[in-house]
Amino acid sequence: MSDEKLKKELIQMRMELHRQEMRHEALLVMQPLQQIKKIRHGWQRAKPWVSLAGLVTPVLIATLRQKTAKKDLKND
């Protein structure tokens, strides 16, 4: 092989190595975002239950407060 061909192949190999390094770094950066995406997807599936809990919890708290207030009035 001539020197020019060797230089050209060496440059191509370096460029390929650099491309692979950049891809690896990008995957490392994207990993936390992928985890957030997973959590978000799981959250969307759980939304009906969370919504139901969000509606039921204030009702339960209000009911308990009313019962406590009535007991306090009776004890006074």
Side-chain angles (χ1 to χ4, degrees):
M1 281 187 141
S2 69
D3 286 343
E4 287 182 28
K5 285 185 179 180
L6 284 174
K7 287 179 183 179
K8 185 177 178 179
E9 282 195 35
L10 181 60
I11 290 171
Q12 287 176 345
M13 289 173 64
R14 285 182 181 168
M15 288 176 63
E16 178 63 20
L17 180 61
H18 183 66
R19 185 191 68 79
Q20 289 178 7
E21 288 174 345
M22 294 295 289
R23 184 175 185 273
H24 178 70
E25 292 294 325
L27 289 174
L28 289 177
V29 169
M30 293 296 290
Q31 195 172 23
L33 297 174
Q34 294 296 330
Q35 290 175 343
I36 291 171
K37 189 176 180 180
K38 263 187 184 177
I39 292 170
R40 188 174 169 196
H41 179 69
W43 175 260
Q44 287 176 348
R45 289 190 314 171
K47 257 186 181 174
W49 293 106
V50 172
S51 298
L52 181 63
L55 292 172
V56 170
T57 303
V59 172
L60 288 174
I61 291 173
T63 305
L64 290 173
R65 282 185 178 177
Q66 281 182 341
K67 286 182 180 179
T68 305
K70 285 181 183 178
K71 284 181 182 178
D72 286 344
L73 288 176
K74 287 181 181 178
N75 289 337
D76 284 340

Coordinates of all heavy atoms in Angstrom, one line a residue:
M1 N 0.8 -1.2 0.0 CA 0.0 0.0 0.0 C 0.9 1.3 0.0 O 1.9 1.3 0.6 CB -0.9 0.1 1.2 CG -2.1 -0.8 1.2 SD -3.2 -0.5 2.6 CE -4.7 -0.5 1.8
S2 N 0.4 2.2 -0.6 CA 1.2 3.5 -0.7 C 0.9 4.3 0.6 O 0.0 4.0 1.3 CB 0.8 4.3 -1.9 OG -0.5 4.8 -1.8
D3 N 1.8 5.2 0.8 CA 1.7 6.1 2.0 C 0.3 6.8 2.0 O -0.3 7.0 3.1 CB 2.8 7.1 2.1 CG 4.1 6.4 2.5 OD1 4.1 5.2 3.0 OD2 5.2 7.0 2.3
E4 N -0.1 7.3 0.9 CA -1.3 8.1 0.8 C -2.5 7.2 1.2 O -3.4 7.7 1.9 CB -1.5 8.6 -0.6 CG -0.6 9.8 -0.9 CD -0.8 10.4 -2.3 OE1 -2.0 10.3 -2.8 OE2 0.1 10.9 -2.9
K5 N -2.6 6.0 0.7 CA -3.7 5.1 1.1 C -3.7 4.8 2.6 O -4.7 4.7 3.2 CB -3.6 3.8 0.3 CG -4.0 3.9 -1.2 CD -4.0 2.6 -1.9 CE -4.5 2.8 -3.3 NZ -4.5 1.5 -4.0
L6 N -2.5 4.6 3.1 CA -2.4 4.3 4.6 C -2.9 5.5 5.4 O -3.6 5.3 6.4 CB -0.9 3.9 4.9 CG -0.5 2.5 4.6 CD1 1.0 2.4 4.9 CD2 -1.2 1.5 5.3
K7 N -2.5 6.7 5.0 CA -2.9 7.9 5.7 C -4.4 8.0 5.6 O -5.1 8.3 6.6 CB -2.2 9.1 5.1 CG -0.8 9.3 5.4 CD -0.2 10.5 4.8 CE 1.3 10.6 5.1 NZ 1.9 11.8 4.5
K8 N -5.0 7.8 4.4 CA -6.4 7.9 4.2 C -7.2 6.9 5.1 O -8.1 7.2 5.7 CB -6.7 7.6 2.7 CG -8.2 7.8 2.4 CD -8.4 7.6 0.9 CE -9.9 7.8 0.6 NZ -10.2 7.6 -0.9
E9 N -6.7 5.6 5.1 CA -7.3 4.6 6.0 C -7.2 5.0 7.4 O -8.1 4.8 8.2 CB -6.7 3.2 5.7 CG -7.3 2.6 4.4 CD -7.0 1.1 4.3 OE1 -7.0 0.5 5.4 OE2 -6.7 0.7 3.2
L10 N -6.0 5.5 7.8 CA -5.8 5.9 9.2 C -6.8 7.0 9.6 O -7.4 7.0 10.7 CB -4.4 6.3 9.4 CG -4.0 6.8 10.8 CD1 -4.2 5.6 11.8 CD2 -2.6 7.3 10.9
I11 N -7.0 8.0 8.7 CA -7.9 9.1 9.0 C -9.3 8.5 9.1 O -10.1 8.9 10.0 CB -7.8 10.1 7.9 CG1 -6.5 10.9 8.0 CG2 -9.0 11.1 8.0 CD1 -6.2 11.8 6.9
Q12 N -9.7 7.6 8.2 CA -11.0 7.0 8.2 C -11.3 6.2 9.5 O -12.3 6.3 10.1 CB -11.3 6.1 7.0 CG -11.4 6.9 5.7 CD -11.6 5.9 4.5 OE1 -11.2 4.7 4.6 NE2 -12.0 6.5 3.4
M13 N -10.2 5.5 9.9 CA -10.4 4.7 11.2 C -10.5 5.7 12.4 O -11.3 5.4 13.3 CB -9.2 3.8 11.4 CG -9.1 2.7 10.4 SD -7.6 1.7 10.5 CE -7.7 1.1 12.2
R14 N -9.8 6.8 12.4 CA -9.9 7.7 13.5 C -11.3 8.4 13.5 O -11.8 8.6 14.5 CB -8.8 8.8 13.3 CG -7.4 8.4 13.7 CD -6.4 9.5 13.6 NE -5.1 9.0 14.0 CZ -4.0 9.7 13.8 NH1 -4.1 10.9 13.2 NH2 -2.8 9.3 14.1
M15 N -11.8 8.7 12.3 CA -13.1 9.3 12.2 C -14.2 8.3 12.7 O -15.1 8.7 13.4 CB -13.4 9.8 10.8 CG -12.6 11.0 10.3 SD -12.8 11.4 8.6 CE -14.6 11.8 8.6
E16 N -14.0 7.1 12.3 CA -15.0 6.1 12.8 C -14.9 5.9 14.3 O -15.9 5.8 15.0 CB -14.7 4.7 12.1 CG -15.6 3.6 12.6 CD -17.1 3.8 12.3 OE1 -17.4 4.6 11.4 OE2 -17.9 3.1 12.9
L17 N -13.7 5.9 14.9 CA -13.5 5.8 16.3 C -14.1 7.0 17.0 O -14.9 6.9 18.0 CB -12.0 5.7 16.7 CG -11.7 5.6 18.2 CD1 -12.3 4.3 18.8 CD2 -10.2 5.6 18.4
H18 N -13.9 8.2 16.4 CA -14.5 9.4 17.0 C -16.0 9.3 17.0 O -16.7 9.7 17.9 CB -14.0 10.6 16.2 CG -14.5 11.9 16.8 ND1 -14.1 12.4 18.0 CD2 -15.3 12.9 16.3 CE1 -14.7 13.5 18.3 NE2 -15.4 13.8 17.2
R19 N -16.6 8.8 15.8 CA -18.0 8.7 15.7 C -18.6 7.8 16.8 O -19.6 8.1 17.4 CB -18.4 8.2 14.3 CG -19.9 8.2 14.0 CD -20.2 7.4 12.8 NE -19.9 6.0 12.9 CZ -20.7 5.1 13.5 NH1 -21.8 5.5 14.1 NH2 -20.4 3.8 13.6
Q20 N -17.9 6.7 17.0 CA -18.4 5.7 18.0 C -18.3 6.3 19.4 O -19.1 6.1 20.3 CB -17.5 4.4 17.9 CG -17.9 3.6 16.7 CD -17.0 2.3 16.6 OE1 -16.3 2.0 17.5 NE2 -17.2 1.7 15.4
E21 N -17.2 7.1 19.7 CA -17.1 7.7 21.0 C -18.2 8.7 21.2 O -18.8 8.8 22.3 CB -15.7 8.4 21.1 CG -14.5 7.5 21.2 CD -13.2 8.2 21.2 OE1 -13.2 9.4 20.8 OE2 -12.2 7.6 21.6
M22 N -18.5 9.5 20.2 CA -19.6 10.5 20.3 C -20.9 9.8 20.5 O -21.7 10.2 21.3 CB -19.7 11.3 19.0 CG -18.5 12.2 18.8 SD -18.3 13.5 20.1 CE -19.6 14.5 19.6
R23 N -21.2 8.7 19.8 CA -22.4 7.9 20.0 C -22.5 7.4 21.4 O -23.5 7.5 22.1 CB -22.5 6.7 19.0 CG -23.8 6.0 19.1 CD -23.8 4.9 17.9 NE -25.1 4.3 17.9 CZ -25.4 3.2 18.6 NH1 -24.5 2.7 19.4 NH2 -26.6 2.7 18.6
H24 N -21.4 6.9 21.9 CA -21.4 6.3 23.3 C -21.7 7.5 24.3 O -22.5 7.3 25.2 CB -20.0 5.7 23.6 CG -19.9 5.2 25.0 ND1 -20.6 4.1 25.4 CD2 -19.2 5.6 26.0 CE1 -20.3 3.9 26.7 NE2 -19.4 4.8 27.1
E25 N -21.1 8.6 24.1 CA -21.3 9.7 25.0 C -22.8 10.2 24.9 O -23.4 10.5 26.0 CB -20.4 10.9 24.7 CG -18.9 10.7 25.0 CD -18.7 10.5 26.5 OE1 -19.3 11.2 27.3 OE2 -17.8 9.7 26.8
A26 N -23.3 10.2 23.7 CA -24.7 10.6 23.6 C -25.6 9.6 24.3 O -26.6 10.0 24.9 CB -25.1 10.7 22.1
L27 N -25.3 8.3 24.2 CA -26.1 7.3 24.9 C -26.1 7.5 26.4 O -27.1 7.4 27.1 CB -25.7 5.9 24.5 CG -26.0 5.5 23.1 CD1 -25.4 4.1 22.8 CD2 -27.6 5.4 22.9
L28 N -24.9 7.8 26.9 CA -24.7 8.1 28.4 C -25.6 9.3 28.8 O -26.2 9.3 29.9 CB -23.3 8.3 28.7 CG -22.4 7.1 28.7 CD1 -20.9 7.4 29.0 CD2 -22.9 6.0 29.6
V29 N -25.6 10.3 28.0 CA -26.3 11.5 28.3 C -27.8 11.2 28.2 O -28.6 11.7 29.0 CB -26.0 12.7 27.3 CG1 -26.9 13.9 27.5 CG2 -24.5 13.1 27.6
M30 N -28.2 10.4 27.3 CA -29.6 10.1 27.1 C -30.2 9.1 28.1 O -31.4 9.1 28.3 CB -29.9 9.5 25.7 CG -29.6 10.5 24.5 SD -30.7 11.9 24.6 CE -32.2 11.1 24.0
Q31 N -29.4 8.4 28.8 CA -29.8 7.4 29.7 C -30.8 8.0 30.8 O -31.8 7.4 31.0 CB -28.6 6.7 30.4 CG -29.0 5.4 31.1 CD -27.7 4.7 31.5 OE1 -26.7 5.3 31.7 NE2 -27.9 3.4 31.7
P32 N -30.4 9.1 31.5 CA -31.4 9.6 32.5 C -32.7 10.0 31.8 O -33.8 9.8 32.4 CB -30.7 10.8 33.1 CG -29.2 10.6 32.8 CD -29.2 9.8 31.5
L33 N -32.6 10.6 30.6 CA -33.9 10.9 29.9 C -34.7 9.7 29.6 O -36.0 9.8 29.7 CB -33.5 11.7 28.7 CG -32.8 13.0 28.9 CD1 -32.4 13.6 27.5 CD2 -33.6 14.0 29.6
Q34 N -34.1 8.6 29.2 CA -34.9 7.4 29.0 C -35.5 6.9 30.3 O -36.7 6.4 30.2 CB -33.9 6.3 28.4 CG -33.4 6.7 27.0 CD -34.5 6.8 26.0 OE1 -35.5 6.1 26.0 NE2 -34.2 7.6 25.0
Q35 N -34.8 7.0 31.4 CA -35.4 6.6 32.6 C -36.6 7.5 33.0 O -37.6 7.0 33.5 CB -34.4 6.7 33.8 CG -33.3 5.6 33.6 CD -32.2 5.7 34.6 OE1 -32.0 6.8 35.3 NE2 -31.4 4.7 34.8
I36 N -36.5 8.8 32.8 CA -37.6 9.7 33.0 C -38.8 9.3 32.1 O -39.9 9.3 32.5 CB -37.2 11.1 32.8 CG1 -36.2 11.5 33.9 CG2 -38.4 12.1 32.7 CD1 -35.6 12.9 33.7
K37 N -38.5 9.0 30.9 CA -39.5 8.6 29.9 C -40.3 7.3 30.4 O -41.5 7.2 30.3 CB -38.9 8.4 28.5 CG -39.9 8.2 27.4 CD -39.2 8.0 26.1 CE -40.2 7.8 25.0 NZ -39.5 7.7 23.7
K38 N -39.5 6.4 30.9 CA -40.1 5.1 31.5 C -41.0 5.4 32.6 O -42.1 4.9 32.7 CB -39.0 4.2 32.0 CG -38.6 3.1 31.1 CD -37.6 2.3 31.8 CE -37.0 1.2 31.0 NZ -36.0 0.4 31.8
I39 N -40.5 6.3 33.6 CA -41.3 6.6 34.7 C -42.6 7.4 34.3 O -43.7 7.1 34.8 CB -40.5 7.5 35.7 CG1 -39.4 6.7 36.3 CG2 -41.4 8.1 36.8 CD1 -38.4 7.5 37.1
R40 N -42.4 8.3 33.3 CA -43.6 9.0 32.8 C -44.6 8.1 32.2 O -45.8 8.3 32.4 CB -43.1 10.0 31.8 CG -44.1 11.0 31.4 CD -43.5 12.0 30.5 NE -44.5 12.8 29.8 CZ -44.3 13.6 28.8 NH1 -43.1 13.7 28.3 NH2 -45.2 14.3 28.3
H41 N -44.1 7.1 31.5 CA -45.1 6.2 30.8 C -45.8 5.4 31.9 O -47.0 5.1 31.8 CB -44.3 5.2 29.9 CG -45.2 4.2 29.2 ND1 -46.1 4.5 28.3 CD2 -45.3 2.8 29.4 CE1 -46.7 3.4 27.9 NE2 -46.3 2.4 28.6
G42 N -45.1 4.9 32.9 CA -45.7 4.2 34.0 C -46.7 5.1 34.8 O -47.8 4.6 35.2
W43 N -46.4 6.4 34.9 CA -47.3 7.3 35.6 C -48.6 7.5 34.8 O -49.7 7.5 35.4 CB -46.6 8.6 35.7 CG -47.4 9.7 36.3 CD1 -48.1 10.7 35.6 CD2 -47.8 9.9 37.7 NE1 -48.8 11.5 36.5 CE2 -48.6 11.1 37.7 CE3 -47.5 9.2 38.8 CZ2 -49.1 11.5 38.9 CZ3 -48.0 9.7 40.0 CH2 -48.8 10.8 40.1
Q44 N -48.5 7.5 33.5 CA -49.7 7.7 32.6 C -50.6 6.5 32.8 O -51.8 6.6 32.7 CB -49.3 7.9 31.2 CG -48.7 9.3 30.9 CD -48.2 9.5 29.5 OE1 -48.1 8.6 28.8 NE2 -47.9 10.7 29.2
R45 N -50.0 5.3 32.9 CA -50.9 4.1 33.1 C -51.6 4.1 34.5 O -52.6 3.6 34.6 CB -50.1 2.8 33.0 CG -49.6 2.6 31.6 CD -49.0 1.2 31.4 NE -48.1 0.9 32.4 CZ -47.5 -0.2 32.6 NH1 -47.8 -1.2 31.8 NH2 -46.7 -0.4 33.6
A46 N -50.9 4.8 35.5 CA -51.5 4.8 36.8 C -52.4 6.0 37.0 O -53.0 6.1 38.1 CB -50.3 4.8 37.8
K47 N -52.5 6.9 36.1 CA -53.3 8.1 36.2 C -54.7 7.9 36.7 O -55.1 8.7 37.6 CB -53.3 8.9 34.9 CG -52.4 10.0 34.9 CD -52.6 10.8 33.6 CE -51.6 12.0 33.6 NZ -51.6 12.7 32.3
P48 N -55.5 7.0 36.2 CA -56.8 6.8 36.7 C -56.9 6.6 38.2 O -57.7 7.1 38.9 CB -57.4 5.6 36.0 CG -56.6 5.6 34.7 CD -55.2 6.1 35.1
W49 N -55.9 5.8 38.7 CA -55.9 5.5 40.2 C -55.5 6.7 41.0 O -56.0 7.0 42.0 CB -55.0 4.3 40.4 CG -55.5 3.0 39.9 CD1 -55.0 2.4 38.8 CD2 -56.6 2.3 40.3 NE1 -55.8 1.3 38.5 CE2 -56.8 1.2 39.5 CE3 -57.5 2.4 41.4 CZ2 -57.8 0.2 39.6 CZ3 -58.5 1.5 41.5 CH2 -58.6 0.4 40.7
V50 N -54.5 7.4 40.4 CA -54.1 8.6 41.1 C -55.2 9.7 41.1 O -55.4 10.3 42.1 CB -52.8 9.2 40.4 CG1 -52.4 10.5 41.0 CG2 -51.7 8.2 40.6
S51 N -55.9 9.8 40.0 CA -57.0 10.7 40.0 C -58.1 10.4 41.0 O -58.6 11.2 41.7 CB -57.6 10.8 38.6 OG -56.6 11.2 37.6
L52 N -58.4 9.1 41.0 CA -59.4 8.6 42.0 C -58.9 8.9 43.4 O -59.7 9.4 44.2 CB -59.6 7.1 41.8 CG -60.7 6.5 42.7 CD1 -62.0 7.1 42.4 CD2 -60.7 5.0 42.5
A53 N -57.7 8.6 43.7 CA -57.2 8.9 45.1 C -57.2 10.4 45.3 O -57.5 10.8 46.5 CB -55.7 8.4 45.2
G54 N -56.9 11.2 44.3 CA -57.0 12.7 44.5 C -58.4 13.2 44.8 O -58.5 14.2 45.4
L55 N -59.4 12.5 44.3 CA -60.7 12.9 44.6 C -61.2 12.3 45.9 O -61.9 13.0 46.7 CB -61.7 12.3 43.5 CG -61.5 13.0 42.1 CD1 -62.4 12.2 41.1 CD2 -61.9 14.4 42.1
V56 N -60.8 11.1 46.3 CA -61.3 10.5 47.5 C -60.7 11.0 48.7 O -61.3 11.2 49.7 CB -61.1 8.9 47.4 CG1 -61.4 8.3 48.7 CG2 -62.0 8.4 46.3
T57 N -59.4 11.3 48.6 CA -58.7 11.8 49.8 C -59.3 13.1 50.4 O -59.5 13.1 51.7 CB -57.2 12.0 49.5 OG1 -56.7 10.8 49.0 CG2 -56.4 12.4 50.7
P58 N -59.5 14.1 49.7 CA -60.1 15.3 50.3 C -61.5 15.0 50.9 O -61.9 15.6 52.0 CB -60.3 16.3 49.2 CG -59.3 15.9 48.1 CD -59.2 14.4 48.3
V59 N -62.3 14.2 50.3 CA -63.6 13.8 50.8 C -63.4 13.1 52.2 O -64.1 13.4 53.2 CB -64.4 12.9 49.8 CG1 -65.7 12.4 50.5 CG2 -64.7 13.7 48.6
L60 N -62.5 12.2 52.3 CA -62.2 11.5 53.5 C -61.8 12.4 54.6 O -62.2 12.4 55.8 CB -61.2 10.4 53.3 CG -61.7 9.1 52.6 CD1 -60.5 8.2 52.3 CD2 -62.8 8.4 53.3
I61 N -60.9 13.3 54.3 CA -60.4 14.3 55.2 C -61.5 15.2 55.7 O -61.6 15.5 56.9 CB -59.2 15.1 54.6 CG1 -58.0 14.2 54.4 CG2 -58.9 16.3 55.5 CD1 -56.9 14.8 53.7
A62 N -62.3 15.7 54.8 CA -63.4 16.5 55.2 C -64.4 15.8 56.1 O -64.9 16.3 57.1 CB -64.2 17.0 54.0
T63 N -64.7 14.5 55.8 CA -65.6 13.7 56.6 C -65.0 13.5 58.0 O -65.7 13.7 59.0 CB -65.8 12.4 56.0 OG1 -66.3 12.6 54.6 CG2 -66.8 11.5 56.7
L64 N -63.7 13.2 58.1 CA -63.1 13.0 59.4 C -63.1 14.3 60.2 O -63.3 14.3 61.4 CB -61.7 12.5 59.2 CG -61.5 11.1 58.7 CD1 -60.1 10.7 58.4 CD2 -62.1 10.1 59.7
R65 N -62.8 15.4 59.6 CA -62.9 16.7 60.3 C -64.3 17.0 60.8 O -64.4 17.6 61.9 CB -62.4 17.8 59.3 CG -60.9 17.9 59.1 CD -60.5 19.1 58.3 NE -59.1 19.1 58.2 CZ -58.5 20.0 57.5 NH1 -59.1 20.9 56.8 NH2 -57.1 20.0 57.4
Q66 N -65.3 16.7 60.0 CA -66.7 17.0 60.5 C -67.0 16.1 61.7 O -67.6 16.6 62.7 CB -67.7 16.7 59.4 CG -67.8 17.8 58.3 CD -68.8 17.4 57.3 OE1 -69.2 16.3 57.1 NE2 -69.3 18.5 56.6
K67 N -66.6 14.9 61.6 CA -66.8 14.0 62.8 C -66.1 14.5 64.0 O -66.7 14.5 65.1 CB -66.4 12.5 62.5 CG -67.3 11.8 61.5 CD -66.9 10.4 61.3 CE -67.8 9.7 60.3 NZ -67.4 8.3 60.0
T68 N -64.9 14.9 63.8 CA -64.1 15.4 65.0 C -64.7 16.7 65.5 O -64.8 16.9 66.7 CB -62.6 15.7 64.5 OG1 -62.1 14.5 63.9 CG2 -61.8 16.1 65.7
A69 N -65.2 17.6 64.6 CA -65.8 18.8 65.1 C -67.1 18.5 65.8 O -67.4 19.2 66.8 CB -66.1 19.7 63.9
K70 N -67.9 17.6 65.4 CA -69.1 17.2 66.1 C -68.8 16.6 67.4 O -69.5 16.9 68.4 CB -69.9 16.2 65.2 CG -70.6 16.8 64.0 CD -71.4 15.8 63.3 CE -72.0 16.4 62.0 NZ -72.7 15.4 61.2
K71 N -67.8 15.8 67.6 CA -67.4 15.2 68.9 C -67.0 16.3 69.8 O -67.3 16.3 71.0 CB -66.3 14.2 68.7 CG -66.8 12.9 68.2 CD -65.6 11.9 68.1 CE -66.1 10.6 67.5 NZ -65.0 9.6 67.3
D72 N -66.2 17.3 69.3 CA -65.7 18.4 70.1 C -66.9 19.2 70.6 O -66.9 19.7 71.7 CB -64.7 19.3 69.3 CG -63.4 18.6 69.1 OD1 -63.1 17.6 69.8 OD2 -62.6 19.1 68.3
L73 N -67.9 19.4 69.8 CA -69.1 20.2 70.2 C -69.8 19.5 71.3 O -70.4 20.1 72.2 CB -69.9 20.5 69.0 CG -69.4 21.6 68.0 CD1 -70.4 21.7 66.8 CD2 -69.3 22.9 68.7
K74 N -69.9 18.2 71.1 CA -70.7 17.4 72.1 C -69.9 17.4 73.5 O -70.5 17.4 74.5 CB -70.9 16.0 71.6 CG -71.9 15.8 70.5 CD -72.0 14.4 70.1 CE -73.1 14.2 69.0 NZ -73.2 12.9 68.5
N75 N -68.6 17.4 73.4 CA -67.8 17.3 74.6 C -67.8 18.7 75.4 O -67.5 18.7 76.5 CB -66.4 16.9 74.3 CG -66.3 15.4 73.9 OD1 -67.2 14.6 74.3 ND2 -65.3 15.1 73.2
D76 N -68.1 19.7 74.7 CA -68.0 21.1 75.3 C -69.3 21.3 76.1 O -69.9 21.2 76.8 CB -67.9 22.2 74.3 CG -66.5 22.3 73.7 OD1 -65.6 21.8 74.4 OD2 -66.3 22.9 72.7

